[in-house]
Amino acid sequence: ESPDRRLAGYDLRLPHRAGDEHPALTIHERRDHPRLLPDEAHVAGVDVRLLAGPVDDLRTSARVAVVLAIAGPGVIPIGVILQIAVSYAIERGCLVVGSAGNLLAPGARAPQYPCGFPGVLCVGATSNEDLPLPGTARGEWVAMAAPGQAGPTTVGGGGYGTATGTSPAAAMVSGAAAMVWSMDPTQSASQVRERLLTGALPLPSELGLGAGRLDALEASFDGSFELVPDLSTWSTAGTVSVLNSLGPLVPTDRGRMAYVSTGPAGAGIAASLTKNFIVQPGVTSFGITFSYDFVTEEWPEFGGTQFNDSGRIVLVEPDENVIVLAVESVNGSTFFPVEGFDFHGGGGTVGHDGWK
């Protein structure tokens, strides 16, 4: 009934502006009194009325990601109310991200809520060494993990500090979801979820951290070509596709690689694979590593001739300045024979210069 209700351990706030027909309930953990919500019937009643009352289309006011950083055993009465709220959000196209919780004893495995509810993207925490953060919940209900060791956060009274646990890890996944969704607002919540999970850095399954550790760059850049098999997140020209292998050649990272070719036989056309991206103002260092292997059927028969197929990796700056990062060619590179496949129209031999 009150737009600002202070509870033991948590603040419940109902942001409301004049003419706003879509208020949203937010629950903020107070670091000075970190306990679970108490079992009070009138509190549950307020939750139900706010979430099920005036909000006709939750997606219009909070479609990108909702972080629920409450983690508690499923036996608490408030869990029923949380499940209603979570289902309401998911049914209206929201991606609900929840922290897996930090309340488990070492080695214990039991679902925490709302992470244990169907449809919630449940996030555990990893250390800076990509190991499970001590105390993080783990189990089959955990969808993925994110760094949770001394992550940046705001602090009471203003300024910034650090926080450790699954709460900052869930916030990081929520932010990555918002970034991925902003790239293509037509995506559904399930599509954004799938990009985050597919783009995650795989971790051993026995760690109980789902798909692995969040890789925000991979989720947006699709550098391993895992996310969209049709290469729709890249710009292409000529013969370009995605392969799991090319004869004995396999990707150096994950399970896919791009295939850029001057073929098919006799075509002799140029091909290109391009990704446009923006480095935000103020960023002074930004690293991307490319692994590539130049393969040609012109070697060795046509070395030193006009059949000098070549490949380049370049960085084109906003002012169209071109920075050449790598160049390979039939006449200028050192090749090694590779067997197991043949390009139609070639001389029967294939050479490559190895992954670089």
Side-chain angles (χ1 to χ4, degrees):
E1 292 108 348
S2 171
D4 188 343
R5 297 202 56 165
R6 188 166 288 260
L7 305 176
Y10 287 86
D11 295 339
L12 266 66
R13 302 183 184 276
L14 177 60
H16 186 75
R17 298 180 299 273
D20 185 0
E21 297 180 356
H22 301 285
L25 175 67
T26 58
I27 305 177
H28 303 277
E29 182 179 358
R30 283 167 46 202
R31 293 287 180 181
D32 60 331
H33 198 166
R35 295 189 303 179
L36 291 175
L37 284 169
D39 179 13
E40 295 181 21
H42 68 276
V43 175
V46 171
D47 286 351
V48 172
R49 284 194 292 275
L50 292 181
L51 288 171
V55 184
D56 297 321
D57 185 3
L58 189 59
R59 184 164 181 168
T60 63
S61 56
R63 72 172 293 242
V64 175
V66 178
V67 175
L68 295 176
I70 306 171
V75 297
I76 59 175
I78 197 75
V80 177
I81 308 304
L82 285 176
Q83 187 167 17
I84 294 174
V86 167
S87 298
Y88 186 88
I90 292 174
E91 289 170 0
R92 283 153 182 79
C94 288
L95 177 63
V96 179
V97 181
S99 60
N102 315 302
L103 306 178
L104 294 181
R109 295 197 176 194
Q112 302 287 288
Y113 292 87
C115 258
F117 296 144
V120 174
L121 182 58
C122 186
V123 180
T126 56
S127 67
N128 294 337
E129 291 75 34
D130 280 337
L131 296 173
L133 190 71
T136 180
R138 293 185 281 161
E140 62 275 7
W141 67 93
V142 177
M144 67 183 304
Q149 181 177 348
T153 185
T154 54
V155 297
Y160 296 89
T162 60
T164 294
T166 58
S167 290
M172 190 171 294
V173 171
S174 179
M179 177 181 65
V180 170
W181 217 330
S182 70
M183 296 170 59
D184 180 5
T186 66
Q187 295 178 98
S188 66
S190 60
Q191 288 175 316
V192 173
R193 175 191 177 105
E194 186 62 25
R195 286 197 66 155
L196 294 174
L197 296 178
T198 304
L201 178 69
L203 296 175
S205 59
E206 60 267 22
L207 296 182
L209 293 175
R213 190 257 294 155
L214 171 70
D215 188 337
L217 178 62
E218 178 61 24
S220 57
F221 200 89
D222 191 19
S224 65
F225 312 103
E226 296 278 353
L227 304 181
V228 185
D230 63 1
L231 286 174
S232 60
T233 64
W234 292 75
S235 299
T236 64
T239 303
V240 183
S241 62
V242 176
L243 303 176
N244 298 106
S245 64
L246 182 64
L249 304 181
V250 295
T252 59
D253 178 51
R254 312 194 191 196
R256 295 174 181 268
M257 58 185 178
Y259 175 68
V260 185
S261 173
T262 57
I269 58 175
S272 65
L273 180 66
T274 305
K275 169 72 75 171
N276 295 318
F277 62 96
I278 298 173
V279 179
Q280 298 295 335
V283 177
T284 58
S285 178
F286 185 76
I288 301 179
T289 298
F290 295 91
S291 297
Y292 68 94
D293 190 353
F294 186 71
V295 186
T296 178
E297 45 80 24
E298 307 288 2
W299 178 88
E301 294 90 343
F302 298 99
T305 71
Q306 73 271 25
F307 300 107
N308 186 31
D309 289 354
S310 63
R312 298 193 308 162
I313 298 177
V314 301
L315 178 67
V316 183
E317 297 182 308
D319 61 1
E320 301 301 324
N321 179 49
V322 177
I323 301 174
V324 179
L325 304 178
V327 177
E328 305 290 343
S329 67
V330 173
N331 292 341
S333 301
T334 300
F335 295 96
F336 308 93
V338 57
E339 299 179 350
F341 61 91
D342 181 30
F343 292 124
H344 296 293
T349 57
V350 177
H352 73 128
D353 59 0
W355 286 107
K356 298 183 181 180

